[in-house]
Amino acid sequence: MTKQELVEKFWGTYRMLEGPRSRRAPISRTQAGAIVDTVLDTVRETLEGGEDIVIPRFGKFFVKQHPEGSMVMDIKSKAKIPRPPDRMKTVRFKPSRQLVERVNAAVTTAS
């Protein structure tokens, strides 16, 4: 799913429904895009600050600090080389148990 598809999905879900009983506020595609941008910027800024992001029933985003002298594998030569200094921190995602179960259930029913 691309960012534009995410905006469209968000906008389609939360735009104002027709009828007098609707309690949802009207939202434009531009506003939906701004909301998605704000969420993604907040995630990026939080991770840059070294903090974890925990979303219940979804998972946890966190920054892993690799120790000095850690080794990585060069894909072309298959040799182990020292981790580059600009790659000492990596962003990781750990899915929640509920998300893993739902994905596995969807894969099982699709097969």
Side-chain angles (χ1 to χ4, degrees), residues 58-78:
F58 185 74
K60 175 181 176 181
F61 294 92
F62 60 99
V63 176
K64 180 175 178 170
Q65 174 70 46
H66 296 279
E68 288 291 327
S70 61
M71 305 294 275
V72 294
M73 185 174 288
D74 183 0
I75 296 172
K76 292 180 182 177
S77 68
K78 306 289 187 209

Side-chain angles (χ1 to χ4, degrees), residues 26-51:
I27 185 170
S28 68
R29 280 188 175 100
T30 305
Q31 290 169 322
I35 292 168
V36 170
D37 284 339
T38 300
V39 170
L40 296 176
D41 288 343
T42 302
V43 168
R44 180 184 46 79
E45 290 167 2
T46 302
L47 290 171
E48 285 174 351
E51 296 180 59

